[in-house]
Amino acid sequence: MSRSWSCNARRGPDTAPRHRRDPGTGETPAQERPESPESTVKPVFSPSGPTARELAVQALSSVERGYDLLAPTFDATPFRTPEEVLGPVVRALGPLGPFRRGLDVCCGTGAGVAALRGLCPERVTGVDFSAGMLARARSAVPAGPATAGPSVHWVRADARELPFAPAFDLVTSFGAFGHFLPAERPGLFAGIREALRPGGLFAFPLPAPPPVGSRLHLALWAFDAAMRVRNLVWRPPFVMYYRTFRLADVHGELRRAGFSVELRPLEELGRRPDGSPRCRLVLARGPA
């Protein structure tokens, strides 16, 4: 944990700082009060982002509790799926419709739900197991009788045990698969298939892995290694791994769950120097 401290040179009695007091209350004005150590903790990522201490507390919590704590500042972190990804996904999905009802799995603060409102004219649902994230989503995504567009609904549930009958034409998820261990994915995919109407579509973007030996590859490897050590020595576990969601494995798991699978490059996100797409859209179609 890092913390920024305000350090002053030592003063003698005659050079101690003197603060004016409000004649009505006798209190020192707030702008002249000495800083407490807590007030000097600096935010990470942006001025409205979480502090390093808050991130440390989150990392030592369970996944659910951690996201409850992070919810108020989540949108000011790079963990939120950016519009630069959401937009290309929505535009690629548009010609594959029509979709009447959409579901975003592990919806967080609602970025994916907001994107689906332009694709699903009847109803859009977000599901997450963090009450804090859902509360933030409710305040962030416009909904209600006075709002044009589909009805918006929020459901608190574990994505591994989705409580839905076949009701959706489109299911999406953005950036959440690192929270599921490989052994949990078959059940996750089976639950998503069961939430889809016959012939419904499960779609999600999947970035290409960084080149082996690159700075990003080493950083993600180090993060996953640190997380594995953390989960060996600390309870409750916090499941978040960047290198366990491999395309070849996922492709086979989706097929075994009953999906037909197609991969499409998201050309708006560009290509790597070797010509391969930086990000693919995985399209898993349920049985008709």
Side-chain angles (χ1 to χ4, degrees):
M1 180 187 305
S2 62
R3 177 175 294 180
S4 176
W5 293 88
S6 177
C7 300
N8 295 310
R10 193 166 177 163
R11 299 174 184 268
D14 295 334
T15 60
R18 301 179 184 273
H19 299 292
R20 293 180 291 106
R21 295 184 179 274
D22 186 290
T25 65
E27 295 182 354
T28 302
Q31 66 269 27
E32 296 187 11
R33 293 175 195 155
E35 280 190 321
S36 69
E38 288 299 324
S39 69
T40 63
V41 178
K42 303 302 182 184
V44 181
F45 308 124
S46 72
S48 55
T51 65
R53 181 187 182 192
E54 289 169 338
L55 289 174
V57 171
Q58 182 212 12
L60 294 176
S61 305
S62 67
V63 179
E64 181 179 355
R65 176 61 177 158
Y67 277 101
D68 284 347
L69 294 171
L70 186 61
T73 56
F74 181 80
D75 287 345
T77 73
F79 309 131
R80 179 190 186 275
T81 304
E83 299 302 324
E84 290 80 1
V85 173
L86 292 169
V89 170
V90 168
R91 286 187 284 274
L93 288 174
L96 304 178
F99 307 108
R100 291 167 50 203
R101 295 188 173 193
L103 171 67
D104 190 44
V105 175
C106 302
C107 65
T109 55
V113 169
L116 288 183
R117 294 181 79 245
L119 286 172
C120 305
E122 184 177 312
R123 178 187 180 115
V124 178
T125 300
V127 60
D128 203 284
F129 77 160
S130 165
M133 299 292 269
L134 288 173
R136 190 75 176 177
R138 288 188 184 95
S139 64
V141 179
T147 305
S151 62
V152 177
H153 303 265
W154 307 101
V155 176
R156 186 183 180 194
D158 191 323
R160 295 167 297 186
E161 299 178 357
L162 292 174
F164 303 112
F168 300 99
D169 307 293
L170 174 65
V171 176
T172 59
S173 191
F174 295 90
F177 296 118
H179 291 301
F180 301 96
L181 297 172
E184 297 173 322
R185 291 199 302 255
L188 171 69
F189 294 155
I192 290 172
R193 187 203 64 225
E194 292 170 4
L196 284 166
R197 288 173 172 167
L201 183 65
F202 173 36
F204 55 90
L206 186 61
V212 175
S214 66
R215 182 175 298 179
L216 179 57
H217 172 265
L218 295 175
L220 297 182
W221 184 91
F223 179 92
D224 282 7
M227 188 61 68
R228 291 184 187 280
V229 172
R230 177 255 187 248
N231 288 335
L232 283 174
V233 301
W234 192 268
R235 291 291 184 273
F238 189 95
V239 177
M240 179 62 226
Y241 299 109
Y242 281 101
R243 300 175 64 251
T244 59
F245 198 75
R246 299 181 178 89
L247 177 58
D249 298 334
V250 171
H251 190 281
E253 290 163 355
L254 287 168
R255 291 181 64 86
R256 286 190 290 274
F259 291 100
S260 60
V261 184
E262 179 186 355
L263 304 176
R264 293 193 182 183
L266 286 171
E267 297 291 0
E268 289 185 55
L269 298 181
R271 290 184 173 264
R272 304 199 297 181
D274 64 1
S276 62
R278 294 187 183 277
C279 188
R280 292 179 171 87
L281 183 62
V282 179
L283 302 171
R285 182 77 66 175

